[in-house]
PDB file of all heavy atoms in Angstrom:
ATOM      1  N   ARG K 243       2.954-109.797 -60.155  1.00 94.00           N
ATOM      2  CA  ARG K 243       1.687-109.983 -59.439  1.00 94.00           C
ATOM      3  C   ARG K 243       0.825-108.723 -59.454  1.00 94.00           C
ATOM      4  O   ARG K 243      -0.304-108.750 -58.966  1.00 94.00           O
ATOM      5  CB  ARG K 243       1.945-110.381 -57.987  1.00 94.00           C
ATOM      6  CG  ARG K 243       2.588-111.741 -57.848  1.00 94.00           C
ATOM      7  CD  ARG K 243       2.858-112.037 -56.382  1.00 94.00           C
ATOM      8  NE  ARG K 243       1.655-112.441 -55.665  1.00 94.00           N
ATOM      9  CZ  ARG K 243       1.504-112.370 -54.338  1.00 94.00           C
ATOM     10  NH1 ARG K 243       2.463-111.861 -53.596  1.00 94.00           N
ATOM     11  NH2 ARG K 243       0.391-112.788 -53.770  1.00 94.00           N
ATOM     12  N   GLU K 261      28.175 -99.493 -72.016  1.00 98.00           N
ATOM     13  CA  GLU K 261      27.032 -98.559 -72.018  1.00 98.00           C
ATOM     14  C   GLU K 261      26.377 -98.500 -70.638  1.00 98.00           C
ATOM     15  O   GLU K 261      25.988 -97.423 -70.170  1.00 98.00           O
ATOM     16  CB  GLU K 261      25.998 -98.971 -73.076  1.00 98.00           C
ATOM     17  CG  GLU K 261      26.416 -98.604 -74.491  1.00 98.00           C
ATOM     18  CD  GLU K 261      25.332 -98.908 -75.537  1.00 98.00           C
ATOM     19  OE1 GLU K 261      24.184 -99.263 -75.165  1.00 98.00           O
ATOM     20  OE2 GLU K 261      25.649 -98.804 -76.728  1.00 98.00           O
ATOM     21  N   ILE K 465       4.328-130.809 -51.239  1.00 98.00           N
ATOM     22  CA  ILE K 465       3.196-129.999 -51.723  1.00 98.00           C
ATOM     23  C   ILE K 465       1.952-130.403 -50.932  1.00 98.00           C
ATOM     24  O   ILE K 465       1.658-131.598 -50.785  1.00 98.00           O
ATOM     25  CB  ILE K 465       2.950-130.280 -53.229  1.00 98.00           C
ATOM     26  CG1 ILE K 465       4.251-130.074 -54.026  1.00 98.00           C
ATOM     27  CG2 ILE K 465       1.842-129.391 -53.777  1.00 98.00           C
ATOM     28  CD1 ILE K 465       4.240-130.697 -55.412  1.00 98.00           C
ATOM     29  N   PHE K 470      -3.127-128.854 -54.915  1.00 96.00           N
ATOM     30  CA  PHE K 470      -3.690-129.638 -56.017  1.00 96.00           C
ATOM     31  C   PHE K 470      -5.145-129.279 -56.297  1.00 96.00           C
ATOM     32  O   PHE K 470      -5.581-129.315 -57.442  1.00 96.00           O
ATOM     33  CB  PHE K 470      -3.477-131.135 -55.753  1.00 96.00           C
ATOM     34  CG  PHE K 470      -2.048-131.500 -55.988  1.00 96.00           C
ATOM     35  CD1 PHE K 470      -1.138-131.472 -54.951  1.00 96.00           C
ATOM     36  CD2 PHE K 470      -1.595-131.791 -57.266  1.00 96.00           C
ATOM     37  CE1 PHE K 470       0.200-131.749 -55.172  1.00 96.00           C
ATOM     38  CE2 PHE K 470      -0.258-132.068 -57.508  1.00 96.00           C
ATOM     39  CZ  PHE K 470       0.640-132.049 -56.457  1.00 96.00           C
ATOM     40  N   THR K 541       2.079-121.530 -58.523  1.00 97.00           N
ATOM     41  CA  THR K 541       2.054-120.070 -58.332  1.00 97.00           C
ATOM     42  C   THR K 541       0.891-119.450 -59.112  1.00 97.00           C
ATOM     43  O   THR K 541       0.159-118.595 -58.600  1.00 97.00           O
ATOM     44  CB  THR K 541       3.396-119.463 -58.789  1.00 97.00           C
ATOM     45  OG1 THR K 541       4.425-120.023 -57.977  1.00 97.00           O
ATOM     46  CG2 THR K 541       3.418-117.958 -58.658  1.00 97.00           C
ATOM     47  N   PRO K 642      19.064-109.452 -36.587  1.00 97.00           N
ATOM     48  CA  PRO K 642      19.731-108.898 -35.402  1.00 97.00           C
ATOM     49  C   PRO K 642      20.417-107.565 -35.722  1.00 97.00           C
ATOM     50  O   PRO K 642      20.932-107.361 -36.833  1.00 97.00           O
ATOM     51  CB  PRO K 642      20.760-109.978 -35.051  1.00 97.00           C
ATOM     52  CG  PRO K 642      20.182-111.234 -35.600  1.00 97.00           C
ATOM     53  CD  PRO K 642      19.458-110.836 -36.861  1.00 97.00           C
ATOM     54  N   PRO K 658      27.524 -94.946 -51.331  1.00 98.00           N
ATOM     55  CA  PRO K 658      27.372 -93.966 -50.243  1.00 98.00           C
ATOM     56  C   PRO K 658      26.188 -93.026 -50.427  1.00 98.00           C
ATOM     57  O   PRO K 658      25.619 -92.561 -49.447  1.00 98.00           O
ATOM     58  CB  PRO K 658      28.703 -93.195 -50.271  1.00 98.00           C
ATOM     59  CG  PRO K 658      29.375 -93.563 -51.557  1.00 98.00           C
ATOM     60  CD  PRO K 658      28.824 -94.866 -52.001  1.00 98.00           C
TER      61      PRO K 658
END
Side-chain angles (χ1 to χ4, degrees):
R243 294 178 78 201
E261 283 185 8
I465 306 163
F470 285 92
T541 299

